[in-house]
């Protein structure tokens, strides 16, 4: 399997018939190669002489070789369809053309690269009538399978390394979170123990203070009783 890149250079066009009755056309080109489809930019208000100067690329995934001859029709074709972009209605068909690239690919297979300088191709309009010309350049660059394999391997390694990096980052983040959570739980436990010890000390101090007050009150009561007894004794002695 051979892989390469087919590059189409859209330069400009000279269209004979304008599809818009009022104003100027807004031409663009739709290009098909096999099952691949590309669309150029729209040449706004450029009418019958649009200029694109735009490169459009197609991937050549496999190439069976040039088998086109007088008995076999070309296998590799570019189909270009020129359209007029409309805002409030369906886009108008301007014309189309087909470019065979079998010989270009075959030359690129031998030399590694091949190109065709911009050339004017006839545009076929509706009812198979000629509708001007479009200038298109072509280039094909061959990429060896080994080069693609190396690129694919590098891409796979890069993706694999990225996943490993994400995994390690996740483990680090997870580990850091767990450690932080444990430290937080530990700090909470130590804080609770300190609060318990402070509460116990406060309760103990409060209990000792209450006992001291009760002892002082009991002592004052005993002193009052002694004085009362001495007073009564002195009164009884006075009566004698």
């Amino acid at each position: 399997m051979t892989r390469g890149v087919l590059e189409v250079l859209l330069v400009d066009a000279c269209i004979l018939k304008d599809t818009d009755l009022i104003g100027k056309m807004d031409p663009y080109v739709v290009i098909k190669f096999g099952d691949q489809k590309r669309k150029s930019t729209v040449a706004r208000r450029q009418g019958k002489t649009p200029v694109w100067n735009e490169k459009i690329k197609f991937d050549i995934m496999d190439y069976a070789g040039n088998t086109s001859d007088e008995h076999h029709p070309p296998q590799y074709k570019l189909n270009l369809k020129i359209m007029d972009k409309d805002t409030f209605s369906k886009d108008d068909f301007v014309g189309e053309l087909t470019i065979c690239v079998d010989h270009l690919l075959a030359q690129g297979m031998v030399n590694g690269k091949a190109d065709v300088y911009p050339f004017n191709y006839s545009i076929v309009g509706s009812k198979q009538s000629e509708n001007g010309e479009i200038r298109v350049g072509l280039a094909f660059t061959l990429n060896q399978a080994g080069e693609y394999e190396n690129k694919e391997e590098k891409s796979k390694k890069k993706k694999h390394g990225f996943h490993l990096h994400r995994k390690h980052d996740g483990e680090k983040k997870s580990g850091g979170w767990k450690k932080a959570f444990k430290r937080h739980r530990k700090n909470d436990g130590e804080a609770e123990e300190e609060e318990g010890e402070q509460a116990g000390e406060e309760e103990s101090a409060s209990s000792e203070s209450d006992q001291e007050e009760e002892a002082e009150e009991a002592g004052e009561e005993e002193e009052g009783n002694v004085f009362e007894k001495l007073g009564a004794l002195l009164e009884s002695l006075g009566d004698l």
Side-chain angles (χ1 to χ4, degrees), residues 189-204:
E190 292 175 353
E192 290 177 358
E193 289 179 0
E194 290 178 358
E195 291 176 357
E197 291 176 358
Q198 291 177 359
E201 291 175 357
E202 290 176 358
E203 290 178 0
S204 177

Side-chain angles (χ1 to χ4, degrees), residues 15 17-30 42-48 52 81-87 89-95:
I15 303 169
K17 297 179 181 179
D18 196 331
T19 60
D20 288 344
L21 298 177
I22 301 175
K24 293 184 177 181
M25 292 189 299
D26 303 310
Y28 66 92
V29 183
V30 178
V42 178
R44 296 286 181 184
R45 299 179 182 178
Q46 294 192 25
K48 296 188 292 184
W52 295 283
K81 183 181 291 185
I82 299 94
M83 304 291 293
D84 172 28
K85 182 70 176 177
D86 288 331
T87 304
S89 62
K90 186 178 179 181
D91 293 353
D92 297 321
F93 173 77
V94 177

